[in-house]
Amino acid sequence: MKDRTLVQIAFYAALIGALGLLPQFAIPFLGGVPITAQSLGIMLAGVMLGPVRGALAVLLFLFVVALGAPLLAGGRGGLGVFAGPTVGFLIGWPIGAFVAGLIMARARRLAVLPAAALAAAVGGIGVVYLFGIPGISLVADLPLAKAALGSAIYIPGDLIKVAITAVVAQTVARGLPAALVSRS
C-alpha cells in the first residue's frame, strides 16, 4: 500500500475514535445500545475512501478497540464489547463502510451530493442495521420484531448523519477533489 493510503485509513480510523468522545445516549430497552456519533465516521469512511479503504479504516478502528483502547462511545473498549448488545452493529460497520464506498464509486452518473446520500443511507444505515438488529435480538434476548421496532429510534439521527456525510463529500469534492478517493 502507498503511504498516502495508509495515512487515509489511519485518519478515518482516528476520526471514528474521536467521534466516540462525543456524549452518548443509552437506550435502556434495547440492552443499552447507545445513540452515538460514530456511525457518521462509518459513513464518511466508506463514502470518502471507497469500499476497500473505508472498510480497512473501520477494521483498524475495531482492532484498536479489541486491544482495549476505550474508543467506543462511553469509553468502552476491549474484547468484551464484542459480546454485548452492540456486537451486531460493530460487525456491520466495516461491511456498511464497504457497501457505502461501493455505491459511491459506482454511482458516478449521479452528482456527489445525491450519490453520497444514497451511499451513506444504504451502507451506513441499511447494511449496519441488517447486522445490528439481529445482534440486539440475540444478545438482549428480544424478539427480532421488537429489536427492529426499538431500533427505529436511531433512524432520525442517522438520517442527519447521512445529510452531513453528503454535504461533507460535496464540499470536499469541490475544494479538494483528490480527497474524495471513492470517485478517483
Side-chain angles (χ1 to χ4, degrees):
M1 278 192 187
K2 295 180 188 175
D3 290 343
R4 183 179 178 140
T5 298
L6 294 174
V7 169
Q8 292 166 332
I9 290 168
F11 173 79
Y12 280 91
L15 175 66
I16 297 165
L19 288 169
L21 299 175
L22 297 175
Q24 68 173 0
F25 302 97
I27 309 297
F29 60 88
L30 283 178
V33 175
I35 295 175
T36 75
Q38 287 184 298
S39 54
L40 172 61
I42 306 309
M43 294 175 191
L44 283 168
V47 166
M48 300 300 294
L49 295 180
V52 174
R53 292 177 186 157
L56 286 174
V58 179
L59 287 170
L60 174 60
F61 169 77
L62 291 174
F63 176 71
V64 173
V65 166
L67 289 176
L71 296 175
L72 288 175
R76 297 172 302 124
L79 290 175
V81 299
F82 296 96
T86 60
V87 67
F89 290 99
L90 298 177
I91 292 168
W93 279 0
I95 301 164
F98 183 88
V99 170
L102 191 63
I103 290 170
M104 189 67 185
R106 299 259 169 105
R108 292 185 190 275
R109 288 183 157 189
L110 289 176
V112 171
L113 186 77
L118 175 65
V122 173
I125 298 175
V127 172
V128 171
Y129 281 42
L130 189 65
F131 290 87
I133 292 170
I136 293 171
S137 176
L138 182 66
V139 175
D141 198 30
L142 292 171
L144 194 57
K146 188 171 183 178
L149 184 60
S151 294
I153 195 165
Y154 301 106
I155 302 272
D158 283 339
L159 290 173
I160 291 169
K161 295 171 202 170
V162 165
I164 292 169
T165 299
V167 169
V168 166
Q170 181 179 26
T171 303
V172 168
R174 286 183 179 161
L176 189 60
L180 189 60
V181 179
S182 62
R183 288 275 176 117
S184 302

